[in-house]
Amino acid sequence: ITIQHGKQTLINDYWQEGGQGILSSIARFAEEIPLDFIKDLLVIRALILPMSAKTASESEPEILLRLLAEAKNLEENAAAYVEFDWKLQCLFARYSSNRIIPLMMNDYTAIFNRFGLLYFSLDIAREISKNYYHRLIEAIQEEPARVEGIVKDTLLKSNEIMELAVDQSHLSKKRN
């Protein structure tokens, strides 16, 4: 809203004129976000995270490998995968050598928790992630430059799976 003394109050188009503050506000109300809004966020994540992961794997491989070793002991439930996967993404962001990416990630914790639970409720999503973590370990140990491609490929697959999860969620809400 733009308010100017002596002039009409204007309602701004936040999709055209808004900035990171708008996204931060939207993120604070994760329970109110339409399920299909996540698709746009996933596209952005697929643009940012692969390069961040590559940089992080080259600069801090031991830290990433220490976390990835924990993947073998994950409980077979959505909440465990959400927590683990978010830690991994945040490490990629923290060690990406870009100070803005961790700030962005911090804003999206609530959104990731909500949609991550939906995503990881699918058996196929957890299977893809198990394979992903294993492939990351191998790449970090053998050829860190491969990490970028592995992350990108997996994010593209996960975007497709998320669409499936969203569709299933919509169907289940219609039945109820």
Side-chain angles (χ1 to χ4, degrees):
I1 296 177
T2 302
I3 301 172
Q4 294 179 334
H5 183 70
K7 295 184 179 182
Q8 287 184 336
T9 300
L10 298 174
I11 298 174
N12 300 316
D13 181 352
Y14 61 88
W15 289 115
Q16 297 302 315
E17 300 171 30
Q20 188 67 29
I22 294 292
L23 288 175
S24 179
S25 295
I26 291 170
R28 280 194 303 271
F29 300 101
E31 291 303 316
E32 304 301 321
I33 297 171
L35 290 174
D36 51 351
F37 178 80
I38 194 66
K39 292 175 187 176
D40 291 336
L41 289 175
L42 291 173
V43 168
I44 297 303
R45 183 178 72 156
L47 293 172
I48 294 171
L49 206 58
M51 181 56 82
S52 299
K54 177 183 179 277
T55 304
S57 68
E58 292 171 343
S59 65
E60 297 294 341
E62 300 83 20
I63 292 171
L64 294 174
L65 288 170
R66 202 169 22 252
L67 177 65
L68 286 164
E70 296 173 20
K72 297 173 195 161
N73 301 320
L74 278 177
E75 291 181 35
E76 198 57 38
N77 64 64
Y81 275 81
V82 166
E83 181 180 347
F84 180 83
D85 205 76
W86 189 245
K87 280 183 191 176
L88 179 61
Q89 290 181 59
C90 287
L91 282 180
F92 288 158
R94 182 178 306 141
Y95 298 111
S96 69
S97 74
N98 182 311
R99 294 177 289 174
I100 304 302
I101 296 171
L103 296 175
M104 291 171 55
M105 296 291 283
N106 291 339
D107 273 345
Y108 301 118
T109 303
I111 292 174
F112 186 82
N113 286 334
R114 176 181 175 209
F115 289 100
L117 287 171
L118 180 64
Y119 175 78
F120 285 116
S121 69
L122 300 175
D123 292 339
I124 189 166
R126 293 191 306 277
E127 284 302 315
I128 287 170
S129 292
K130 286 177 198 174
N131 184 43
Y132 170 58
Y133 304 144
H134 179 74
R135 290 175 62 210
L136 283 174
I137 290 169
E138 287 179 348
I140 291 169
Q141 290 173 334
E142 298 167 12
E143 191 180 347
R146 285 187 18 232
V147 167
E148 183 176 7
I150 292 168
V151 173
K152 185 176 183 176
D153 291 345
T154 303
L155 289 178
L156 293 175
K157 278 184 208 168
S158 72
N159 290 1
E160 293 173 15
I161 301 298
M162 178 53 95
E163 287 189 35
L164 176 65
V166 167
D167 290 345
Q168 286 183 359
S169 177
H170 281 303
L171 286 175
S172 117
K173 283 183 181 181
K174 286 180 183 177
R175 285 186 212 132
N176 295 335

